[in-house]
């Protein structure tokens, strides 16, 4: 491991989260993931490729990249990272969540010469399209105008696929932009080295249905919950004294669930996140199986692959 990668990971370990209702606590255990992303020899996120990074809701994808972005700042590397997000209630209103200071002038130029707008109060760039559209725009513009010889990571945070049209749009974008990005990256590298990659983060399980269609045109990377030891470390950080083995069985090491339990209590979490979901699931499958529902459940218990 190089000295710079070691320095970035040390900064990652010191990164603090300020959580409402809990206070400040230290970010926990994503050393392996960080090294695999920033170390070119690992080749997990490759220049010229779209990477779909997916995992359970609440496993910490967004927080991990925010912490990694913070850890890259002020370290003398050849990496620039831009994180793009979408308004929670308005998916078509995307904005730049994080970008290096060195690229701010470039973003102003993009805003002057395209449909991108800059908020006069927050100075946050906003584009009247989805995060996918922003990723495409940024890759093309930065390839033409950015500093050469640097690796650029464009991270599209929490791509939502809950509706059929969103899933179809994502599939279409993956199939078309994956080819475009390889050409954009090749042109960028020819003029000075470096590379451009685009990573789409999603929690939606429906993303798995796209793999048979899109396949090897993009890279697929799974990120999971915390390990048992890391979960115990998180419990110590936030001061949650509930039996770790119980929380492990209930949450599987999901950081968002553990923080929720600290804020609202275990009973509320069970009611809101477990019982309600089971009730909704029961209603959905009852519409399919009706009187045969319990026979189907018994079959599933006997053969989980079924």
């Amino acid at each position: 491991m190089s000295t710079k990668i070691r320095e970035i990971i040390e900064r990652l370990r010191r990164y603090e989260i300020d959580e409402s209702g809990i206070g400040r606590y230290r970010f926990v255990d994503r050393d392996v993931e960080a090294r695999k992303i920033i170390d070119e020899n690992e080749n997990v996120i490759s220049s010229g490729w779209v990477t779909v990074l997916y995992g359970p809701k609440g496993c910490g994808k967004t927080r991990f990249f925010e912490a990694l972005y913070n850890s890259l700042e002020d370290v003398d590397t050849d990496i620039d990272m831009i994180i793009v997000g979408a308004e929670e209630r308005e998916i078509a209103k995307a904005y730049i969540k994080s970008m290096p200071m060195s690229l701010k002038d470039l973003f102003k130029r993009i805003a002057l010469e395209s449909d991108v707008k800059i908020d006069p109060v927050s100075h946050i760039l906003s584009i009247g399209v989805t995060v996918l559209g922003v990723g495409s725009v940024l890759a093309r513009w930065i390839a033409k105008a950015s500093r050469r010889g640097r690796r650029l990571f464009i991270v599209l945070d929490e791509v939502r696929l809950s509706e059929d049209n969103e899933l179809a749009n994502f599939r279409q974008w993956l199939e078309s932009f994956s080819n475009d990005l390889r050409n954009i990256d090749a042109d960028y590298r020819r003029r000075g080295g470096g590379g451009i990659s685009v990573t789409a983060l999603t929690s939606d399980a429906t993303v798995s249905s796209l793999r048979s269609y899109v396949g090897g045109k993009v890279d697929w990377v799974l990120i999971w919950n915390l390990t048992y030891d890391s979960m115990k470390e998180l419990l110590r950080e936030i001061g949650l004294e509930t039996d770790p083995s119980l929380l492990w069985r209930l949450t599987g090491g999901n950081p968002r669930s553990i923080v929720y339990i600290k804020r609202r209590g275990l009973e509320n979490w069970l009611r809101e996140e477990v019982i309600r979901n089971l009730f909704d699931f029961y209603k959905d499958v009852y519409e399919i199986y009706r009187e045969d529902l319990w026979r189907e459940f018994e079959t599933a218990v006997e053969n989980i692959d079924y």
Side-chain angles (χ1 to χ4, degrees):
M1 186 189 307
S2 72
T3 303
K4 288 182 180 178
I5 291 176
R6 191 175 292 109
E7 181 182 355
I8 292 166
I9 289 176
E10 285 300 321
R11 288 171 61 90
L12 188 70
R13 290 171 179 167
R14 297 195 298 269
Y15 180 74
E16 289 190 336
I17 299 162
D18 192 359
E19 190 86 47
S20 175
I22 294 180
R24 300 185 71 85
Y25 61 94
R26 188 176 55 79
F27 180 79
V28 170
D29 180 51
R30 289 293 185 187
D31 295 11
V32 173
E33 290 88 341
R35 179 176 53 78
K36 286 181 177 293
I37 287 171
I38 61 181
D39 189 341
E40 287 185 281
N41 296 322
E42 294 285 350
N43 211 31
V44 170
I45 294 182
S46 304
S47 66
W49 283 78
V50 175
T51 299
V52 179
L53 192 146
Y54 63 102
K57 290 182 179 179
C59 72
K61 295 178 294 297
T62 297
R63 189 146 278 168
F64 165 60
F65 276 94
E66 289 173 349
L68 183 57
Y69 169 87
N70 181 273
S71 302
L72 288 166
E73 289 285 271
D74 301 323
V75 177
D76 183 20
T77 69
D78 64 346
I79 299 173
D80 291 322
M81 180 177 289
I82 301 169
I83 303 177
V84 183
E87 294 287 348
E88 188 170 350
R89 297 183 181 179
E90 191 177 350
I91 193 169
K93 187 177 181 182
Y95 65 99
I96 309 301
K97 295 175 67 174
S98 304
M99 63 177 170
M101 291 293 295
S102 58
L103 292 178
K104 287 191 182 292
D105 288 341
L106 171 63
F107 276 90
K108 290 178 182 178
R109 176 183 164 187
I110 295 173
L112 288 173
E113 300 180 24
S114 70
D115 294 333
V116 180
K117 302 289 187 264
I118 298 180
D119 187 290
V121 177
S122 64
H123 301 293
I124 293 176
L125 286 160
S126 60
I127 306 174
V129 291
T130 67
V131 291
L132 303 178
V134 177
S136 304
V137 168
L138 293 181
R140 289 187 176 93
W141 275 87
I142 291 174
K144 290 191 297 184
S146 185
R147 295 175 294 168
R148 309 299 175 201
R150 298 187 66 79
R151 288 188 290 155
L152 175 69
F153 292 84
I154 299 174
V155 180
L156 311 180
D157 185 23
E158 204 56 59
V159 176
R160 278 168 263 167
L161 308 173
S162 55
E163 303 293 337
D164 288 342
N165 66 310
E166 292 171 352
L167 191 64
N169 290 340
F170 189 46
R171 173 186 169 183
Q172 184 179 24
W173 180 82
L174 289 174
E175 291 180 325
S176 61
F177 184 62
S178 60
N179 295 325
D180 293 345
L181 182 59
R182 283 195 255 294
N183 293 328
I184 292 168
D185 176 71
D187 185 53
Y188 179 79
R189 286 187 286 110
R190 272 196 302 269
R191 288 183 284 157
I196 299 176
S197 64
V198 176
T199 302
L201 312 183
T202 182
S203 300
D204 207 305
T206 53
V207 73
S208 61
S209 66
L210 296 178
R211 295 191 68 162
S212 59
Y213 297 103
V214 181
K217 284 189 174 182
V218 304
D219 285 335
W220 305 85
V221 177
L222 176 67
I223 187 171
W224 201 248
N225 296 323
L226 299 176
T227 64
Y228 182 68
D229 287 341
S230 298
M231 184 202 70
K232 291 198 295 183
E233 187 178 348
L234 177 59
L235 298 183
R236 290 192 294 270
E237 286 291 325
I238 65 176
L240 181 57
E241 297 180 356
T242 307
D243 178 14
S245 60
L246 172 64
L247 291 180
W248 179 252
R249 291 196 298 273
L250 290 172
T251 71
N254 185 272
R256 183 183 298 168
S257 296
I258 291 166
V259 169
Y260 185 103
I261 291 168
K262 171 63 178 179
R263 288 181 56 245
R264 301 288 308 281
L266 182 57
E267 185 177 334
N268 281 327
W269 178 80
L270 286 168
R271 184 186 302 113
E272 294 296 321
E273 300 298 322
V274 179
I275 296 173
R276 186 184 65 183
N277 287 340
L278 285 173
F279 183 69
D280 290 342
F281 173 72
Y282 172 81
K283 288 194 297 183
D284 289 341
V285 294
Y286 182 78
E287 292 298 316
I288 300 171
Y289 296 109
R290 297 288 177 172
E291 289 75 18
D292 294 330
L293 175 61
W294 292 107
R295 190 178 301 115
E296 292 293 325
F297 276 148
E298 288 172 358
T299 305
V301 169
E302 291 169 2
N303 179 8
I304 198 66
D305 290 333
Y306 170 81

